[in-house]
Amino acid sequence: MKSTEVQLQGTAPAAGRGTKLRRRMWRERYIYLLLLPGVLYYIVYRYIPMAGLVIAFQDFNPFNESLWANEWVGFKYFARIFEDAEVIKVIWNTLQISFLQIFMAFPISIILALMLNEVRNETYKRIVQSMVYLPHFLSWVVVAGIFVVFLRGEGLINTFLTQKLHWEAIPFLTDPALFKPVIILQVIWKESGWSTILFLAALAGVNPALYEAAVIDGASRWRQLWHVTLPAIRSVIVILFILRLGNVLDTGFEQIFLMLNPFNTESGNVLDTYVYFKGIQQGDVSFATAVGMFKGLVGLVLVILANRAAKRFGEEGLY
Amino acid sequence: MIKRTISERLADAVNAVLLLLIAATMLFPFLHIFAVSFSSLKDVLERDLILWPREWVTDAYYTILASKNFTRSLGVTAYVTIVGTLVNLLFTATMAYALTRNALGQRVILMMVIFTILFSAGMIPTYLIVKGTGLINSLWALILPGAISSFNLIVLRQFFLSIPSELNEAALIDGANELRTFFSIILPLSKPSLAAFSLFYAVGHWNTYFAGILYLSDSSKWPIQVILRQIVIVNEPTAALGQEVMLMMENPPPPITIQMAAILLATLPILIVYPFLQKHFAKGVMLGSVKG
C-alpha cells in the first residue's frame, strides 16, 4: 500500500500511472473488503507477535507500558541458552523424542499403509480404515487420559502384571526411563492410522496395468510389492521424511505437557514445555522468548534445507 | 481373476488378521471404558477385565451431569465450537477467495501467509498480544488467535481456483459486484468443501485444551478438556465436579466409573460427527496434496 501512496504523489508522467493505479484500486475495492478480516488477523495475531520477539533482546519488565521502555541487553539470553545445562538437557530430550518418532512411528505408518493396500476386500479395508483413523480426531487429553487410566498403578495393565503374572508393578507414568517409550506409543496409537492416508492416496493413483505387466512377467505378490508398490510411494516417503526432519524440534506441546509430572520432568521436558514453564509460570519472559525464537529459527532453517533436499531428490518439495 | 498361490493366500489371511488386531487395539479401550462407566462398584472391584457391563448402573453419568462445573464447561465448549467455527469459516473463506482475484498486493499477502507456516513467533509473544488485545479470561481468546489456519487457507484457495473463472466473470458482467458474486455464487458452489473445513475446525475447537489453561484463569470459563484432565489425568474427580455432587448420593459411584463416563461424554460429539468427517477427509487430504 505504501508504494502506491508514493506513486500517487509523483510527477506528471507518474501521475498518469497514479490515476490508473487509483482506478484499479477502486475497481478492486470489494476484494480489499474481503481481504480485510484475514489481513487484520495476520497482522495482529501472527506478525505483531513476530515484532514482539524483540523482548528476547531486552530485559522484559511487565510493569513497563511499552516494550521500548525495556532495557536492551543484546544477545545475553541467547548466550545463556548454550550455557544453561538445563536447556541443553531439554534440547537433548526434544531431539531424542523426535528421532524416536521418526524411526519408530514413521515406518509403522508406511507398513500399515502397505498392509491396507494389500487388502482385496474393499468392505473389510474400509472398516479397518475407519477404526484406525478414529484416534486422530480425539483430543490429547482423551488419549493421555486413556493411557493414564490403563497404565497407572491400579490400572488394567499393572493389575494384570501383578495379579496374574505376579510381577512387580511397572511405574509407566512416573519412571523417567519410560516417559519417552510411552510418548512414542501414544503417537503410534493416535497417528499411525491417519498418517497412512497420504500413502494410500499415492497408491490409489498407481496404474493397474503395472501390476498386470508384473504378473505377466511372473512376479509374485512380494516382488510386485517391491517393484511396483514401493516405488509408487517412494516420493511421498522422501518428502514426508525430509519435512519431518525439518520439524525435528517440534514434539507436540499438549501431549508432552499432559504426560509430564514432577517425577519424569527431567526426561520429558522438551523445548515447548520448557518455554511455557520458564516464561509463563516462572516469569523469566525474555529468556523464554529467546528459547522459543531459537527453536523457531532453527526450525525455519531446517525446513528450508529440507525443502531444498527434497528438490535435489527430484521431488516437488513443499513450496 | 489372477490365480493366487497357496503362500499368497496365506499371506493375505495373515495380513487380514493382523489388521484386525491393530483395529482392535483402537477399539478395545473404548469398549472397556464404555463397559466400566456403566458398571457397579462390586463389578469394578471383582472383575478382572470388563468388556460389557453385567448390570447397567448409570450413577456415574447421573453424578457427572448433575455437576454444574461439568455441564457449564460442556456449554462453554459448545459455544466456542459454534462461534469459533463460524469465525474460522468467515475469515478463511473471504481471504482465500480474495486471494484468487489477482488484486494488488496478492503475491505479497500470499507469501506472508506461507511464511507463517514456516515460522511463528511462538508462545510468549503470542501470549503477550492476546493479553494486549484484552482477551485474557475471555472466550474470544480461544477463537481469535487461531481464526485462520494457514494450511486450510491455502487448500481452500486452491479449491476456489478450480472453479471456472467464467462463472464470476459472467456475474460481474451482469452487474453483480465481487461481494455478491462471492456470497451468492462462489460460496453456494463450495458447500461440500466448506462443510469439510468446518468439521475440521470444529473438531479442533472441541479438543482445545492448552489455550484454555494459557488464557483463562477463571475456572468457570474452562473448556471441557481442562475439566476432563482434572478428572482423569490429575485423578481428582471430586475437586473437578464439586463436593456437593459427591454428597448427593448415599453411595457415590466409584471414581473409576466417573472417569470413564467423563471420557466418553467428552468424546461423544467427536464420535457423532466422525462418520461425516470420514466422508470428507479423504477429499480434504487429496486437495491438500495439490501444491499451493
Side-chain angles (χ1 to χ4, degrees):
Chain A
M1 296 292 162
K2 206 156 199 166
S3 67
T4 59
E5 283 165 27
V6 173
Q7 283 177 359
L8 287 174
Q9 291 163 353
T11 45
R17 262 174 59 210
T19 46
K20 217 167 138 192
L21 197 73
R22 207 183 310 190
R23 222 176 282 150
R24 179 178 173 189
M25 289 182 69
W26 178 246
R27 203 172 59 235
E28 293 173 343
R29 64 195 180 279
Y30 290 115
I31 301 175
Y32 303 136
L33 197 63
L34 287 171
L35 272 176
L36 190 67
V39 168
L40 273 180
Y41 163 74
Y42 273 96
I43 292 174
V44 173
Y45 288 109
R46 300 294 186 104
Y47 279 90
I48 291 182
M50 285 188 208
L53 285 171
V54 295
I55 57 181
F57 303 93
Q58 302 174 328
D59 260 330
F60 179 77
N61 180 347
F63 301 107
N64 283 342
E65 284 286 310
S66 138
L67 291 185
W68 306 115
N70 292 331
E71 189 194 332
W72 292 88
V73 296
F75 286 91
K76 175 176 140 190
Y77 288 111
F78 289 90
R80 196 175 132 194
I81 292 176
F82 303 101
E83 291 158 5
D84 194 320
E86 206 185 356
V87 186
I88 305 292
K89 175 75 184 148
V90 163
I91 293 175
W92 183 229
N93 284 341
T94 310
L95 290 175
Q96 272 182 306
I97 291 177
S98 248
F99 278 106
L100 279 170
Q101 283 183 7
I102 292 171
F103 291 109
M104 304 288 291
F106 190 65
I108 284 179
S109 65
I110 298 173
I111 292 169
L112 188 57
L114 293 175
M115 286 170 74
L116 281 168
N117 188 55
E118 289 301 316
V119 175
R120 291 288 172 267
N121 183 329
E122 281 300 317
T123 319
Y124 188 72
K125 184 175 167 185
R126 217 170 309 131
I127 292 173
V128 173
Q129 277 178 302
S130 57
M131 289 199 244
V132 298
Y133 293 164
L134 176 65
H136 171 76
F137 296 96
L138 305 177
S139 74
W140 272 116
V141 176
V142 167
V143 175
I146 291 174
F147 269 73
V148 166
V149 167
F150 278 83
L151 295 182
R152 63 188 172 190
E154 70 275 23
L156 201 61
I157 310 277
N158 271 323
T159 312
F160 177 76
L161 292 181
T162 52
Q163 291 181 0
K164 298 288 165 200
L165 303 182
H166 301 288
W167 289 8
E168 278 191 39
I170 300 175
F172 292 105
L173 303 173
T174 48
D175 186 346
L178 291 174
F179 183 85
K180 287 166 188 132
V182 169
I183 289 292
I184 302 304
L185 208 63
Q186 276 181 349
V187 171
I188 290 173
W189 188 76
K190 190 174 192 283
E191 303 296 347
S192 58
W194 179 251
S195 346
T196 61
I197 211 162
L198 277 176
F199 300 121
L200 289 174
L203 287 172
V206 178
N207 186 350
L210 288 175
Y211 288 106
E212 285 159 24
V215 170
I216 291 166
D217 288 345
S220 68
R221 283 274 289 281
W222 288 110
R223 294 197 71 90
Q224 291 173 42
L225 181 74
W226 189 252
H227 293 290
V228 182
T229 310
L230 271 177
I233 54 171
R234 197 202 56 168
S235 67
V236 181
I237 294 177
V238 170
I239 289 196
L240 291 182
F241 180 72
I242 289 176
L243 291 181
R244 186 64 192 79
L245 278 182
N247 293 330
V248 75
L249 294 184
D250 286 319
T251 36
F253 176 87
E254 281 195 1
Q255 181 200 6
I256 307 262
F257 181 72
L258 288 165
M259 296 304 290
L260 278 179
N261 54 46
F263 306 102
N264 59 26
T265 303
E266 51 159 305
S267 159
N269 211 2
V270 294
L271 278 169
D272 287 324
T273 49
Y274 184 76
V275 168
Y276 174 73
F277 292 133
K278 271 285 165 207
I280 305 285
Q281 292 198 330
Q282 298 169 20
D284 202 345
V285 178
S286 283
F287 180 54
T289 309
V291 173
M293 188 175 169
F294 167 75
K295 187 204 151 208
L297 288 177
V298 172
L300 178 65
V301 171
L302 287 177
V303 172
I304 290 171
L305 288 179
N307 197 60
R308 201 171 283 176
K311 285 186 173 156
R312 182 154 300 174
F313 273 89
E315 310 297 349
E316 276 196 62
L318 179 67
Y319 49 87
Chain B
M1 193 62 214
I2 300 156
K3 207 178 72 192
R4 297 190 305 173
T5 64
I6 293 170
S7 73
E8 280 176 6
R9 275 166 196 274
L10 195 68
D12 272 341
V14 170
N15 187 33
V17 171
L18 279 178
L19 282 173
L20 190 69
L21 285 177
I22 293 169
T25 65
M26 312 286 166
L27 279 204
F28 163 73
F30 282 98
L31 189 61
H32 179 66
I33 288 168
F34 174 82
V36 172
S37 75
F38 282 106
S39 290
S40 63
L41 173 64
K42 186 167 155 284
D43 282 350
V44 168
L45 292 177
E46 283 176 3
R47 295 177 66 187
D48 291 332
L49 178 62
I50 303 180
L51 289 176
W52 200 250
R54 215 178 256 160
E55 42 177 338
W56 293 80
V57 182
T58 51
D59 286 3
Y61 291 90
Y62 187 71
T63 308
I64 289 176
L65 292 174
S67 158
K68 282 238 165 53
N69 293 350
F70 197 88
T71 49
R72 198 198 305 109
S73 76
L74 279 181
V76 164
T77 313
Y79 172 83
V80 169
T81 302
I82 293 167
V83 177
T85 306
L86 288 175
V87 169
N88 291 143
L89 274 192
L90 184 73
F91 277 53
T92 312
T94 49
M95 192 174 185
Y97 175 72
L99 287 176
T100 63
R101 302 299 298 147
N102 289 319
L104 200 70
Q106 167 175 314
R107 281 180 59 88
V108 178
I109 296 175
L110 206 53
M111 273 167 62
M112 288 179 79
V113 168
I114 291 173
F115 183 70
T116 63
I117 298 179
L118 306 179
F119 181 78
S120 79
M123 186 187 302
I124 309 285
T126 309
Y127 175 84
L128 291 177
I129 196 71
V130 169
K131 200 174 168 190
T133 46
L135 296 188
I136 296 294
N137 268 330
S138 152
L139 289 182
W140 287 101
L142 306 186
I143 295 171
L144 289 180
I148 298 179
S149 138
S150 299
F151 179 77
N152 288 356
L153 179 84
I154 303 282
V155 176
L156 190 59
R157 173 177 176 266
Q158 207 62 37
F159 171 78
F160 286 142
L161 282 173
S162 74
I163 297 176
S165 60
E166 287 84 7
L167 269 173
N168 47 31
E169 274 158 27
L172 291 172
I173 288 167
D174 285 347
N177 64 41
E178 293 273 1
L179 283 184
R180 260 198 71 190
T181 319
F182 173 65
F183 283 106
S184 52
I185 294 180
I186 302 297
L187 279 192
L189 267 176
S190 321
K191 263 187 210 150
S193 290
L194 295 176
F197 283 107
S198 41
L199 280 173
F200 281 108
Y201 274 128
V203 168
H205 284 297
W206 187 267
N207 288 342
T208 289
Y209 161 69
F210 182 59
I213 56 163
L214 186 59
Y215 300 132
L216 310 174
S217 54
D218 176 357
S219 65
S220 73
K221 288 178 176 152
W222 278 346
I224 187 68
Q225 306 293 341
V226 177
I227 304 284
L228 186 65
R229 168 179 180 263
Q230 211 182 347
I231 296 177
V232 182
I233 300 178
V234 186
N235 203 2
E236 283 176 352
T238 315
L241 297 175
Q243 293 280 352
E244 65 286 356
V245 216
M246 291 301 177
L247 300 172
M248 200 174 58
M249 264 182 277
E250 214 172 295
N251 298 310
I256 177 102
T257 62
I258 290 184
Q259 293 177 328
M260 300 303 201
I263 292 178
L264 269 195
L265 282 177
T267 315
L268 203 59
I270 304 282
L271 297 178
I272 291 171
V273 299
Y274 184 60
F276 301 97
L277 274 167
Q278 238 190 328
K279 227 177 78 186
H280 286 298
F281 56 51
K283 205 169 28 185
V285 172
M286 296 292 221
L287 270 173
S289 61
V290 180
K291 244 179 63 165

PDB file of all heavy atoms in Angstrom, chain A residues 284-299:
ATOM      1  N   ASP A 284      10.228 -15.731  33.638  1.00  0.00           N
ATOM      2  CA  ASP A 284      11.522 -15.434  33.026  1.00  0.00           C
ATOM      3  C   ASP A 284      11.266 -15.162  31.532  1.00  0.00           C
ATOM      4  O   ASP A 284      11.703 -15.913  30.658  1.00  0.00           O
ATOM      5  CB  ASP A 284      12.451 -16.646  33.223  1.00  0.00           C
ATOM      6  CG  ASP A 284      13.919 -16.268  33.110  1.00  0.00           C
ATOM      7  OD1 ASP A 284      14.191 -15.159  32.616  1.00  0.00           O
ATOM      8  OD2 ASP A 284      14.762 -17.095  33.504  1.00  0.00           O
ATOM      9  N   VAL A 285      10.537 -14.058  31.274  1.00  0.00           N
ATOM     10  CA  VAL A 285       9.917 -13.850  29.971  1.00  0.00           C
ATOM     11  C   VAL A 285      10.934 -13.710  28.835  1.00  0.00           C
ATOM     12  O   VAL A 285      10.827 -14.374  27.805  1.00  0.00           O
ATOM     13  CB  VAL A 285       8.983 -12.615  30.015  1.00  0.00           C
ATOM     14  CG1 VAL A 285       8.374 -12.354  28.653  1.00  0.00           C
ATOM     15  CG2 VAL A 285       7.894 -12.833  31.050  1.00  0.00           C
ATOM     16  N   SER A 286      11.933 -12.876  29.038  1.00  0.00           N
ATOM     17  CA  SER A 286      12.887 -12.628  27.952  1.00  0.00           C
ATOM     18  C   SER A 286      13.642 -13.896  27.579  1.00  0.00           C
ATOM     19  O   SER A 286      13.822 -14.203  26.408  1.00  0.00           O
ATOM     20  CB  SER A 286      13.884 -11.534  28.356  1.00  0.00           C
ATOM     21  OG  SER A 286      13.246 -10.287  28.253  1.00  0.00           O
ATOM     22  N   PHE A 287      14.073 -14.640  28.590  1.00  0.00           N
ATOM     23  CA  PHE A 287      14.822 -15.863  28.319  1.00  0.00           C
ATOM     24  C   PHE A 287      13.938 -16.884  27.590  1.00  0.00           C
ATOM     25  O   PHE A 287      14.343 -17.495  26.596  1.00  0.00           O
ATOM     26  CB  PHE A 287      15.365 -16.448  29.622  1.00  0.00           C
ATOM     27  CG  PHE A 287      16.147 -17.711  29.424  1.00  0.00           C
ATOM     28  CD1 PHE A 287      17.207 -17.754  28.525  1.00  0.00           C
ATOM     29  CD2 PHE A 287      15.822 -18.862  30.129  1.00  0.00           C
ATOM     30  CE1 PHE A 287      17.931 -18.914  28.337  1.00  0.00           C
ATOM     31  CE2 PHE A 287      16.540 -20.024  29.941  1.00  0.00           C
ATOM     32  CZ  PHE A 287      17.593 -20.061  29.040  1.00  0.00           C
ATOM     33  N   ALA A 288      12.690 -17.037  28.077  1.00  0.00           N
ATOM     34  CA  ALA A 288      11.782 -17.990  27.441  1.00  0.00           C
ATOM     35  C   ALA A 288      11.527 -17.591  25.982  1.00  0.00           C
ATOM     36  O   ALA A 288      11.468 -18.445  25.089  1.00  0.00           O
ATOM     37  CB  ALA A 288      10.469 -18.054  28.210  1.00  0.00           C
ATOM     38  N   THR A 289      11.405 -16.286  25.737  1.00  0.00           N
ATOM     39  CA  THR A 289      11.199 -15.821  24.365  1.00  0.00           C
ATOM     40  C   THR A 289      12.407 -16.150  23.498  1.00  0.00           C
ATOM     41  O   THR A 289      12.272 -16.575  22.348  1.00  0.00           O
ATOM     42  CB  THR A 289      10.938 -14.304  24.342  1.00  0.00           C
ATOM     43  OG1 THR A 289       9.900 -14.016  25.274  1.00  0.00           O
ATOM     44  CG2 THR A 289      10.531 -13.834  22.965  1.00  0.00           C
ATOM     45  N   ALA A 290      13.602 -15.970  24.092  1.00  0.00           N
ATOM     46  CA  ALA A 290      14.828 -16.282  23.344  1.00  0.00           C
ATOM     47  C   ALA A 290      14.872 -17.768  22.996  1.00  0.00           C
ATOM     48  O   ALA A 290      15.213 -18.137  21.866  1.00  0.00           O
ATOM     49  CB  ALA A 290      16.050 -15.877  24.166  1.00  0.00           C
ATOM     50  N   VAL A 291      14.501 -18.617  23.967  1.00  0.00           N
ATOM     51  CA  VAL A 291      14.500 -20.060  23.693  1.00  0.00           C
ATOM     52  C   VAL A 291      13.496 -20.381  22.590  1.00  0.00           C
ATOM     53  O   VAL A 291      13.787 -21.134  21.646  1.00  0.00           O
ATOM     54  CB  VAL A 291      14.174 -20.867  24.980  1.00  0.00           C
ATOM     55  CG1 VAL A 291      14.014 -22.346  24.665  1.00  0.00           C
ATOM     56  CG2 VAL A 291      15.257 -20.666  26.024  1.00  0.00           C
ATOM     57  N   GLY A 292      12.312 -19.782  22.680  1.00  0.00           N
ATOM     58  CA  GLY A 292      11.289 -20.009  21.657  1.00  0.00           C
ATOM     59  C   GLY A 292      11.747 -19.535  20.289  1.00  0.00           C
ATOM     60  O   GLY A 292      11.541 -20.199  19.274  1.00  0.00           O
ATOM     61  N   MET A 293      12.410 -18.368  20.262  1.00  0.00           N
ATOM     62  CA  MET A 293      12.856 -17.810  18.986  1.00  0.00           C
ATOM     63  C   MET A 293      13.970 -18.666  18.393  1.00  0.00           C
ATOM     64  O   MET A 293      14.009 -18.922  17.193  1.00  0.00           O
ATOM     65  CB  MET A 293      13.355 -16.389  19.205  1.00  0.00           C
ATOM     66  CG  MET A 293      13.651 -15.649  17.930  1.00  0.00           C
ATOM     67  SD  MET A 293      14.102 -13.952  18.305  1.00  0.00           S
ATOM     68  CE  MET A 293      14.699 -13.433  16.704  1.00  0.00           C
ATOM     69  N   PHE A 294      14.858 -19.130  19.267  1.00  0.00           N
ATOM     70  CA  PHE A 294      15.926 -20.038  18.841  1.00  0.00           C
ATOM     71  C   PHE A 294      15.321 -21.269  18.174  1.00  0.00           C
ATOM     72  O   PHE A 294      15.711 -21.671  17.071  1.00  0.00           O
ATOM     73  CB  PHE A 294      16.757 -20.425  20.065  1.00  0.00           C
ATOM     74  CG  PHE A 294      17.697 -21.580  19.835  1.00  0.00           C
ATOM     75  CD1 PHE A 294      18.864 -21.413  19.100  1.00  0.00           C
ATOM     76  CD2 PHE A 294      17.409 -22.832  20.350  1.00  0.00           C
ATOM     77  CE1 PHE A 294      19.728 -22.468  18.889  1.00  0.00           C
ATOM     78  CE2 PHE A 294      18.265 -23.906  20.143  1.00  0.00           C
ATOM     79  CZ  PHE A 294      19.426 -23.721  19.409  1.00  0.00           C
ATOM     80  N   LYS A 295      14.306 -21.839  18.822  1.00  0.00           N
ATOM     81  CA  LYS A 295      13.645 -23.019  18.284  1.00  0.00           C
ATOM     82  C   LYS A 295      13.004 -22.700  16.924  1.00  0.00           C
ATOM     83  O   LYS A 295      13.149 -23.457  15.962  1.00  0.00           O
ATOM     84  CB  LYS A 295      12.571 -23.490  19.264  1.00  0.00           C
ATOM     85  CG  LYS A 295      11.968 -24.808  18.863  1.00  0.00           C
ATOM     86  CD  LYS A 295      10.580 -25.000  19.435  1.00  0.00           C
ATOM     87  CE  LYS A 295       9.827 -25.874  18.469  1.00  0.00           C
ATOM     88  NZ  LYS A 295       8.410 -25.672  18.460  1.00  0.00           N
ATOM     89  N   GLY A 296      12.330 -21.551  16.851  1.00  0.00           N
ATOM     90  CA  GLY A 296      11.664 -21.165  15.613  1.00  0.00           C
ATOM     91  C   GLY A 296      12.650 -20.968  14.473  1.00  0.00           C
ATOM     92  O   GLY A 296      12.415 -21.408  13.346  1.00  0.00           O
ATOM     93  N   LEU A 297      13.785 -20.299  14.769  1.00  0.00           N
ATOM     94  CA  LEU A 297      14.757 -20.022  13.717  1.00  0.00           C
ATOM     95  C   LEU A 297      15.433 -21.303  13.233  1.00  0.00           C
ATOM     96  O   LEU A 297      15.599 -21.503  12.031  1.00  0.00           O
ATOM     97  CB  LEU A 297      15.814 -19.019  14.219  1.00  0.00           C
ATOM     98  CG  LEU A 297      15.301 -17.588  14.381  1.00  0.00           C
ATOM     99  CD1 LEU A 297      16.394 -16.689  14.953  1.00  0.00           C
ATOM    100  CD2 LEU A 297      14.810 -17.036  13.041  1.00  0.00           C
ATOM    101  N   VAL A 298      15.816 -22.161  14.183  1.00  0.00           N
ATOM    102  CA  VAL A 298      16.417 -23.434  13.782  1.00  0.00           C
ATOM    103  C   VAL A 298      15.419 -24.210  12.920  1.00  0.00           C
ATOM    104  O   VAL A 298      15.772 -24.770  11.875  1.00  0.00           O
ATOM    105  CB  VAL A 298      16.839 -24.261  15.018  1.00  0.00           C
ATOM    106  CG1 VAL A 298      17.289 -25.653  14.599  1.00  0.00           C
ATOM    107  CG2 VAL A 298      17.953 -23.558  15.770  1.00  0.00           C
ATOM    108  N   GLY A 299      14.140 -24.207  13.354  1.00  0.00           N
ATOM    109  CA  GLY A 299      13.104 -24.895  12.581  1.00  0.00           C
ATOM    110  C   GLY A 299      12.996 -24.329  11.175  1.00  0.00           C
ATOM    111  O   GLY A 299      12.917 -25.081  10.195  1.00  0.00           O
TER     112      GLY A 299
END
